[in-house]
Amino acid sequence: MKPAVGDPPPAHLAPDRPGWSRGWLAGAVILGSALLALAATRWVPPLRTADESLGDRLIAAAAPAQPQHPAIALVLFGEDSFAGLACRSPVDRGMLADIIGLLAAAGVRAIGIDVLFDQPTLPALDERLRRAMLNAAVPVVAITALDRTPLTERQRRFLDGFIEGMPRGHANLAKDRLDAAVRWHVPFGDDGTPSLPVQLARLAGVPGVPAQPFRIDWHGRPDGSTAPFAIYPAEAVAVLPKSWLSGRMVLVGTALAGIDQHRTPLSPAGASTPGVEIEAHVLAQLLDGRSDPRLPFAGEAALALLMAAVGVAVALAGLPLWLLAAAGLLVPAAAWTGAMALLAAGGPLVPLVAPALAWGAGLAAMTVQMSLRERADRRVMMQLFANHVSQPVAEEIWRERATFMAGNRPRPQQLTATVLFSDIEGFTTICEALEPEPLIRWLEGYLDAMVRIVTAHDGVVLRFVGDAILAVFGAPVARTTQTEIDADAGRAVGCALEMGRELAALNRRWQAEGLPRVGIRVGVHTGPLVAGSLGGLRHSEYSLLGDTANTAARLEAYGKMVDERTSRHCRIIVGDPTWQAVQSALQGRCTALPVGEVALKGKVKAVRIWLLIDDENTDGRG
């Protein structure tokens, strides 16, 4: 029984659920792209540097504005501070002693001296400073040098003796080995010595100081021209209102060009940040209890997976090349914009290099895979259909390949189509009469002419069986409406009529060449059939299975029993479904004579069949 047009196919012939094989592949590409991107940004030096540098740019461009930190102030020795002094280095220790006294009198909370006392000056001044630090009314923290600090034995002995009995902390800065930028802080040296900010934080009663190195969360500026901390020149401390200093933790250091200057994320192009200000940022972070500003690794990994998934999805969308190129630029740009907006709103710093790499890797890998699959599909289809299709049909097959291809081969499907089977009358006698070379040349000319007619009518030539031709109209792209099925039947009948007309011209040419003239029989039948690829890896064919294909072949064979002809050189026998589909459309071009209800070989039920009469070419019929 013929299935209704549009009914779903039987379960055993239903198309594969979309996406299982492609879904597994897409998942593997997503996971692989994300893992590769995350590993590359950590182990490939240029990419790691790019990742850190891009984060620096985000901090510099989008760090949210913050008021000056209320608990920290800096007292700096700058160029003006040394204008009236005889020596720039070491810093005048008498002046330092005076500053400590003034700060203590102002009621500061604690003082950190970011000046290394590794060599003597005038003994009286050295002793005066040492006593001022030891006897101050507030805690005074001096800096020491860790073992890796390049000091001579004499310098180290003097330093240890000078700061003996004082709270101390190291001022060694952790610099990235690739670009020498300061982004991390080491709270404790190998010998357990705390850093200057950690020692000050302890004195302030901050609990739970981190024991492991941590990334610095830089304190923002109120505006582009205001420093993140109150900064006072050393020479102005004596005249400052005490209220400006009272209750604050004060760091004392230098701000001289070329001395203790370091590259940080806050540094504009060509500028640097004084070491004492870096210590202030770390102290502020500890006092405020702020943690690593960067998105945790789990979040970065999730973002990399998401970006890889987006890249794979864009590739699977099958966009044109120019749209893929535009997406390749626009998506990272959108990610950059989003990261800036998130940071400016007080959110975490989102690392962008790994997600961008994951996006690009996912997009590229899936695009390449789809290209390879497309080439494989095209190769399979070209092998299956042997190029014997018209350009419109070839384009339709390629455009609709997703509806019938699965795993690089056509999936079995049930459809309704029209099958045409043609054969040469008396071909065996002709083979006996001709030598091999002229036989093959003659047969090639015949087949070439017939194939051109089939393809011109949008049919698909599936195979040759000697002189026989098997063609189908309405496959491999399944028709979805009765109108489309009827149109295929009309094209098949028109093709059969044109084959008979072409044979008249071929016979005239062959007669002139001394070659035999022939006639052909054509069987055409419309109905349901199963279509799919049969065979293995080495050889496969697109095959038609079922009663419709068999009936077309039996109709062609039954033409031997019919005396009347369609035209002088052709008999076309069609099944009743085909004639019912085309009779109104072909009115005036052909008519049909009922042959009757016949029992075809291999069929139990009788089939009603018709002999077509070519009304445009009736000379010599019979």
Side-chain angles (χ1 to χ4, degrees):
M1 176 178 170
K2 178 179 176 180
V5 175
D7 285 352
H12 68 286
L13 295 175
D16 294 343
R17 292 294 181 188
W20 278 113
S21 59
R22 180 175 289 188
W24 281 107
L25 177 62
V29 170
I30 291 169
L31 182 60
S33 298
L35 291 176
L36 179 64
L38 292 167
T41 53
R42 280 153 179 80
W43 298 106
V44 179
L47 291 177
R48 187 167 71 82
T49 300
D51 186 45
E52 294 287 4
S53 297
L54 199 57
D56 295 348
R57 299 298 178 272
L58 278 174
I59 292 172
Q66 293 178 272
Q68 282 190 333
H69 200 283
I72 299 173
L74 302 180
V75 172
L76 301 182
F77 286 87
E79 294 296 337
D80 292 340
S81 304
F82 293 100
L85 301 177
C87 181
R88 291 171 60 92
S89 180
V91 174
D92 187 286
R93 289 177 182 172
M95 187 176 182
L96 262 178
D98 293 340
I99 289 175
I100 290 173
L102 290 169
L103 293 176
V108 300
R109 193 173 182 184
I111 303 171
I113 307 296
D114 191 23
V115 176
L116 190 64
F117 304 114
D118 61 341
Q119 52 187 306
T121 62
L122 294 175
L125 294 180
D126 291 346
E127 183 61 22
R128 179 183 167 196
L129 175 58
R130 175 175 160 75
R131 289 181 179 178
M133 296 172 69
L134 285 169
N135 300 326
V138 297
V140 179
V141 180
I143 61 170
T144 185
L146 298 177
D147 291 340
R148 62 177 177 270
T149 306
L151 295 179
T152 65
E153 186 63 31
R154 179 174 175 274
Q155 287 176 306
R156 195 169 291 277
R157 282 198 308 270
F158 182 85
L159 173 62
D160 291 341
F162 191 90
I163 63 174
E164 184 179 359
M166 303 177 191
R168 64 189 70 183
H170 74 79
N172 294 68
L173 298 177
K175 295 186 177 182
D176 195 300
R177 293 180 180 179
L178 295 176
D179 62 0
V182 178
R183 301 184 182 94
W184 291 74
H185 184 73
V186 179
F188 296 93
D190 295 337
D191 59 357
T193 302
S195 67
L196 176 61
V198 167
Q199 187 67 276
L200 289 169
R202 282 177 166 180
L203 292 172
V206 174
V209 174
Q212 299 300 319
F214 56 87
R215 192 180 289 269
I216 301 172
D217 186 8
W218 306 93
H219 191 276
R221 294 171 172 264
D223 53 62
S225 60
T226 306
F229 307 100
I231 298 177
Y232 305 116
E235 66 274 15
V237 172
V239 298
L240 292 177
K242 291 183 178 181
S243 60
W244 290 12
L245 298 168
S246 178
R248 291 189 173 188
M249 310 203 63
V250 179
L251 292 173
V252 180
T254 60
L256 299 172
I259 299 177
D260 196 23
Q261 298 283 326
H262 309 276
R263 180 183 172 188
T264 69
L266 299 179
S267 307
S272 56
T273 304
V276 67
E277 184 177 334
I278 296 173
E279 306 288 5
H281 280 280
V282 176
L283 178 58
Q285 182 175 351
L286 294 173
L287 293 176
D288 297 342
R290 290 180 277 120
S291 58
D292 187 346
R294 191 179 174 102
L295 189 71
F297 176 76
E300 183 181 1
L303 183 58
L305 283 170
L306 175 62
M307 291 291 282
V310 173
V312 168
V314 170
L316 288 174
L319 301 176
L321 185 59
W322 69 271
L323 274 180
L324 282 179
L329 297 175
L330 291 176
V331 170
W336 170 266
T337 304
M340 288 184 64
L342 182 63
L343 186 62
L349 188 154
V350 178
L352 294 176
V353 172
L357 285 176
W359 149 259
L363 178 65
M366 204 64 199
T367 299
V368 169
Q369 191 280 331
M370 289 183 63
S371 176
L372 294 175
R373 180 170 180 169
E374 184 175 297
R375 291 175 60 184
D377 286 350
R378 187 183 292 274
R379 183 172 61 251
V380 169
M381 284 191 286
M382 295 304 285
Q383 290 172 348
L384 289 173
F385 302 114
N387 291 324
H388 298 317
V389 294
S390 65
Q391 186 62 32
V393 172
E395 291 175 355
E396 181 187 25
I397 290 174
W398 184 245
R399 185 174 61 251
E400 301 294 333
R401 64 190 182 280
T403 64
F404 65 89
M405 292 292 288
N408 288 337
R409 63 186 297 168
R411 63 165 62 96
Q413 58 178 340
Q414 182 167 300
L415 44 78
T416 301
T418 299
V419 179
L420 179 151
F421 195 90
S422 73
D423 200 4
I424 297 176
E425 296 174 340
F427 181 68
T428 302
T429 302
I430 295 171
C431 289
E432 294 173 350
L434 291 177
E435 294 295 323
E437 185 174 343
L439 173 65
I440 295 299
R441 186 171 63 251
W442 171 82
L443 184 58
E444 283 182 343
Y446 163 77
L447 293 176
D448 183 62
M450 296 301 107
V451 166
R452 283 201 307 270
I453 294 171
V454 174
T455 56
H457 287 79
D458 293 340
V460 178
V461 176
L462 295 182
R463 70 179 60 89
F464 304 124
V465 184
D467 62 306
I469 299 173
L470 174 65
V472 63
F473 298 76
V477 180
R479 307 312 188 194
T480 57
T481 67
Q482 189 64 51
T483 300
E484 293 176 330
I485 294 171
D486 292 348
D488 286 327
R491 283 189 284 269
V493 169
C495 173
L497 293 171
E498 188 63 30
M499 291 169 74
R501 296 164 188 166
E502 178 67 16
L503 199 57
L506 288 175
N507 278 331
R508 287 194 296 270
R509 192 182 75 192
W510 289 336
Q511 185 176 17
E513 296 175 356
L515 295 172
R517 297 183 300 167
V518 298
I520 61 172
R521 295 185 302 272
V522 182
V524 182
H525 193 63
T526 302
L529 49 82
V530 175
S533 176
L534 295 179
L537 294 176
R538 295 183 178 274
H539 178 75
S540 61
E541 290 184 350
Y542 188 76
S543 299
L544 306 177
L545 305 177
D547 184 66
T548 297
N550 292 333
T551 300
R554 299 291 186 261
L555 291 176
E556 177 274 318
Y558 192 82
K560 299 176 184 178
M561 312 294 294
V562 179
D563 293 332
E564 190 69 33
R565 288 181 174 272
T566 300
S567 60
R568 184 175 183 181
H569 303 288
C570 179
R571 287 189 181 93
I572 302 174
I573 309 295
V574 301
D576 189 62
T578 303
W579 177 242
Q580 297 303 323
V582 304
Q583 60 178 329
S584 59
L586 294 180
Q587 189 172 9
R589 294 177 55 195
C590 74
T591 54
L593 299 177
V595 177
E597 301 273 348
V598 301
L600 298 176
K601 182 180 178 181
K603 296 181 65 65
V604 176
K605 292 183 62 177
V607 178
R608 187 180 186 189
I609 62 177
W610 302 79
L611 171 73
L612 296 187
I613 304 300
D614 188 351
D615 292 337
E616 297 182 7
N617 186 14
T618 58
D619 292 341
R621 194 175 70 243

